[in-house]
Amino acid sequence: MMNTTKIQIAVISIILTIGTLCSIVPAQASPTISPAQVQPATINVTGTINKIAVEGICYQLAADNGKKYELMGKFPKIDGTKVQVSGIVKTDMVTICQVGQPLQVKTVKVIN
């Protein structure tokens, strides 16, 4: 009788230990497409550069299509400049200014 109780306690201890360990280890998802396989699309957009003082100085592109982008990279930092921009929309980040969807500028052309 004494040995049976010890065995039962040992079995319960093992089950609890395994259960605890299983709940600590997160499940690993196996994605069908890795992030390295997804290529961000380049967009072309025309609009006006707005200089905005939020957290320091930020530059927003008020696009002709009504969308707003926060410009990142090299571009003319002159308020009111009409430009055509080619760049990559950054969906995986948040900026300090938060004045539009971040847009990494690849090329820019000033429109007169």
Short mmCIF file of all heavy atoms in Angstrom, two decimals, residues 23-55:
data_model
loop_
_atom_site.label_atom_id
_atom_site.label_comp_id
_atom_site.label_asym_id
_atom_site.label_seq_id
_atom_site.Cartn_x
_atom_site.Cartn_y
_atom_site.Cartn_z
N SER A 23 3.41 24.24 -21.18
CA SER A 23 2.75 25.55 -21.23
C SER A 23 3.76 26.69 -21.31
O SER A 23 3.42 27.79 -21.73
CB SER A 23 1.85 25.72 -20.01
OG SER A 23 2.63 25.76 -18.83
N ILE A 24 5.01 26.45 -20.93
CA ILE A 24 6.03 27.48 -20.99
C ILE A 24 6.59 27.63 -22.40
O ILE A 24 6.86 28.72 -22.87
CB ILE A 24 7.18 27.17 -20.00
CG1 ILE A 24 6.66 27.29 -18.57
CG2 ILE A 24 8.36 28.10 -20.21
CD1 ILE A 24 7.65 26.84 -17.52
N VAL A 25 6.76 26.54 -23.11
CA VAL A 25 7.36 26.56 -24.44
C VAL A 25 6.31 27.01 -25.45
O VAL A 25 5.27 26.39 -25.59
CB VAL A 25 7.88 25.15 -24.82
CG1 VAL A 25 8.45 25.14 -26.22
CG2 VAL A 25 8.89 24.66 -23.81
N PRO A 26 6.55 28.14 -26.16
CA PRO A 26 5.56 28.62 -27.12
C PRO A 26 5.52 27.72 -28.36
O PRO A 26 6.51 27.12 -28.74
CB PRO A 26 6.07 30.01 -27.49
CG PRO A 26 7.53 29.96 -27.23
CD PRO A 26 7.72 28.99 -26.08
N ALA A 27 4.35 27.68 -28.97
CA ALA A 27 4.20 26.91 -30.19
C ALA A 27 4.94 27.61 -31.32
O ALA A 27 4.94 28.83 -31.42
CB ALA A 27 2.73 26.77 -30.53
N GLN A 28 5.60 26.85 -32.15
CA GLN A 28 6.35 27.38 -33.28
C GLN A 28 5.50 27.27 -34.54
O GLN A 28 5.15 26.17 -34.95
CB GLN A 28 7.67 26.63 -33.46
CG GLN A 28 8.62 26.78 -32.30
CD GLN A 28 9.14 28.18 -32.18
OE1 GLN A 28 9.40 28.85 -33.16
NE2 GLN A 28 9.29 28.65 -30.95
N ALA A 29 5.18 28.40 -35.13
CA ALA A 29 4.43 28.39 -36.39
C ALA A 29 5.41 28.25 -37.54
O ALA A 29 6.50 28.79 -37.51
CB ALA A 29 3.64 29.68 -36.53
N SER A 30 5.01 27.50 -38.53
CA SER A 30 5.86 27.38 -39.71
C SER A 30 5.18 28.09 -40.86
O SER A 30 4.23 27.57 -41.46
CB SER A 30 6.09 25.90 -40.06
OG SER A 30 4.86 25.25 -40.22
N PRO A 31 5.60 29.33 -41.14
CA PRO A 31 4.95 30.10 -42.19
C PRO A 31 5.20 29.49 -43.57
O PRO A 31 6.24 28.90 -43.81
CB PRO A 31 5.60 31.48 -42.08
CG PRO A 31 6.92 31.23 -41.45
CD PRO A 31 6.71 30.03 -40.55
N THR A 32 4.23 29.67 -44.44
CA THR A 32 4.39 29.16 -45.80
C THR A 32 5.27 30.10 -46.62
O THR A 32 5.92 29.67 -47.55
CB THR A 32 3.03 28.99 -46.48
OG1 THR A 32 2.33 30.23 -46.43
CG2 THR A 32 2.21 27.92 -45.78
N ILE A 33 5.29 31.40 -46.24
CA ILE A 33 6.13 32.37 -46.93
C ILE A 33 6.96 33.09 -45.88
O ILE A 33 6.42 33.66 -44.94
CB ILE A 33 5.29 33.40 -47.70
CG1 ILE A 33 4.45 32.71 -48.77
CG2 ILE A 33 6.17 34.46 -48.32
CD1 ILE A 33 3.50 33.64 -49.49
N SER A 34 8.26 33.05 -46.03
CA SER A 34 9.11 33.75 -45.07
C SER A 34 9.15 35.23 -45.41
O SER A 34 8.95 35.62 -46.57
CB SER A 34 10.53 33.17 -45.09
OG SER A 34 11.18 33.54 -46.29
N PRO A 35 9.41 36.10 -44.42
CA PRO A 35 9.47 37.54 -44.69
C PRO A 35 10.51 37.89 -45.74
O PRO A 35 10.36 38.87 -46.45
CB PRO A 35 9.84 38.14 -43.33
CG PRO A 35 9.36 37.14 -42.34
CD PRO A 35 9.51 35.80 -43.00
N ALA A 36 11.58 37.10 -45.87
CA ALA A 36 12.61 37.38 -46.86
C ALA A 36 12.08 37.19 -48.28
O ALA A 36 12.61 37.78 -49.22
CB ALA A 36 13.82 36.49 -46.62
N GLN A 37 11.03 36.38 -48.44
CA GLN A 37 10.49 36.13 -49.77
C GLN A 37 9.54 37.23 -50.23
O GLN A 37 9.26 37.34 -51.41
CB GLN A 37 9.74 34.79 -49.78
CG GLN A 37 10.64 33.59 -49.59
CD GLN A 37 9.82 32.32 -49.42
OE1 GLN A 37 8.81 32.32 -48.74
NE2 GLN A 37 10.28 31.25 -50.03
N VAL A 38 9.03 38.04 -49.32
CA VAL A 38 8.09 39.09 -49.67
C VAL A 38 8.87 40.34 -50.05
O VAL A 38 9.61 40.88 -49.24
CB VAL A 38 7.14 39.39 -48.49
CG1 VAL A 38 6.20 40.54 -48.84
CG2 VAL A 38 6.37 38.16 -48.10
N GLN A 39 8.70 40.77 -51.28
CA GLN A 39 9.38 41.97 -51.75
C GLN A 39 8.43 43.16 -51.65
O GLN A 39 7.33 43.11 -52.20
CB GLN A 39 9.83 41.79 -53.21
CG GLN A 39 10.85 40.69 -53.40
CD GLN A 39 12.16 40.99 -52.68
OE1 GLN A 39 12.61 42.13 -52.67
NE2 GLN A 39 12.75 39.98 -52.08
N PRO A 40 8.84 44.23 -50.95
CA PRO A 40 7.95 45.39 -50.85
C PRO A 40 7.79 46.04 -52.22
O PRO A 40 8.73 46.12 -53.00
CB PRO A 40 8.67 46.32 -49.87
CG PRO A 40 10.08 45.87 -49.86
CD PRO A 40 10.08 44.42 -50.23
N ALA A 41 6.59 46.50 -52.49
CA ALA A 41 6.29 47.11 -53.79
C ALA A 41 6.68 48.59 -53.78
O ALA A 41 6.49 49.29 -52.79
CB ALA A 41 4.81 46.96 -54.09
N THR A 42 7.22 49.04 -54.90
CA THR A 42 7.53 50.45 -55.07
C THR A 42 6.29 51.15 -55.59
O THR A 42 5.61 50.65 -56.49
CB THR A 42 8.69 50.61 -56.08
OG1 THR A 42 9.84 49.95 -55.56
CG2 THR A 42 9.02 52.07 -56.31
N ILE A 43 5.98 52.30 -54.99
CA ILE A 43 4.84 53.09 -55.47
C ILE A 43 5.33 54.39 -56.06
O ILE A 43 6.43 54.87 -55.75
CB ILE A 43 3.82 53.37 -54.34
CG1 ILE A 43 4.44 54.27 -53.26
CG2 ILE A 43 3.29 52.10 -53.74
CD1 ILE A 43 3.41 54.90 -52.34
N ASN A 44 4.54 54.95 -56.94
CA ASN A 44 4.80 56.27 -57.51
C ASN A 44 3.62 57.15 -57.12
O ASN A 44 2.47 56.79 -57.36
CB ASN A 44 4.92 56.19 -59.03
CG ASN A 44 6.11 55.37 -59.44
OD1 ASN A 44 7.23 55.66 -59.07
ND2 ASN A 44 5.87 54.32 -60.20
N VAL A 45 3.92 58.28 -56.51
CA VAL A 45 2.86 59.16 -56.01
C VAL A 45 3.26 60.61 -56.20
O VAL A 45 4.43 60.95 -56.09
CB VAL A 45 2.53 58.83 -54.53
CG1 VAL A 45 3.70 59.08 -53.63
CG2 VAL A 45 1.30 59.55 -54.05
N THR A 46 2.28 61.43 -56.51
CA THR A 46 2.50 62.86 -56.70
C THR A 46 1.75 63.61 -55.60
O THR A 46 0.64 63.24 -55.23
CB THR A 46 1.97 63.31 -58.08
OG1 THR A 46 2.64 62.55 -59.09
CG2 THR A 46 2.23 64.78 -58.32
N GLY A 47 2.40 64.66 -55.09
CA GLY A 47 1.76 65.44 -54.04
C GLY A 47 2.59 66.63 -53.62
O GLY A 47 3.56 66.99 -54.29
N THR A 48 2.22 67.21 -52.50
CA THR A 48 2.89 68.41 -51.98
C THR A 48 3.53 68.11 -50.64
O THR A 48 2.92 67.49 -49.77
CB THR A 48 1.86 69.55 -51.81
OG1 THR A 48 1.20 69.76 -53.07
CG2 THR A 48 2.53 70.84 -51.37
N ILE A 49 4.78 68.55 -50.48
CA ILE A 49 5.51 68.36 -49.23
C ILE A 49 5.04 69.39 -48.20
O ILE A 49 4.99 70.58 -48.49
CB ILE A 49 7.03 68.48 -49.44
CG1 ILE A 49 7.53 67.34 -50.35
CG2 ILE A 49 7.78 68.49 -48.10
CD1 ILE A 49 8.99 67.43 -50.71
N ASN A 50 4.69 68.90 -47.02
CA ASN A 50 4.31 69.77 -45.90
C ASN A 50 5.33 69.61 -44.79
O ASN A 50 5.61 68.49 -44.36
CB ASN A 50 2.92 69.40 -45.36
CG ASN A 50 1.83 69.63 -46.38
OD1 ASN A 50 1.85 70.62 -47.10
ND2 ASN A 50 0.88 68.72 -46.45
N LYS A 51 5.87 70.73 -44.32
CA LYS A 51 6.79 70.73 -43.18
C LYS A 51 5.93 70.87 -41.93
O LYS A 51 5.19 71.83 -41.77
CB LYS A 51 7.77 71.90 -43.30
CG LYS A 51 8.78 71.98 -42.19
CD LYS A 51 9.73 73.15 -42.44
CE LYS A 51 10.71 73.33 -41.32
NZ LYS A 51 11.60 74.49 -41.57
N ILE A 52 6.03 69.87 -41.04
CA ILE A 52 5.18 69.85 -39.85
C ILE A 52 6.06 69.77 -38.60
O ILE A 52 6.94 68.92 -38.50
CB ILE A 52 4.22 68.63 -39.90
CG1 ILE A 52 3.34 68.72 -41.15
CG2 ILE A 52 3.38 68.56 -38.64
CD1 ILE A 52 2.47 67.51 -41.37
N ALA A 53 5.81 70.67 -37.66
CA ALA A 53 6.54 70.67 -36.39
C ALA A 53 5.71 69.89 -35.37
O ALA A 53 4.78 70.42 -34.79
CB ALA A 53 6.79 72.09 -35.92
N VAL A 54 6.06 68.62 -35.19
CA VAL A 54 5.36 67.77 -34.22
C VAL A 54 6.33 67.44 -33.12
O VAL A 54 6.32 68.04 -32.06
CB VAL A 54 4.81 66.49 -34.90
CG1 VAL A 54 4.09 65.63 -33.88
CG2 VAL A 54 3.89 66.82 -36.04
N GLU A 55 7.14 66.46 -33.32
CA GLU A 55 8.23 66.08 -32.42
C GLU A 55 9.51 66.44 -33.16
O GLU A 55 10.16 65.59 -33.74
CB GLU A 55 8.19 64.57 -32.13
CG GLU A 55 6.97 64.11 -31.38
CD GLU A 55 7.04 64.47 -29.91
OE1 GLU A 55 8.15 64.61 -29.36
OE2 GLU A 55 5.97 64.62 -29.30
#
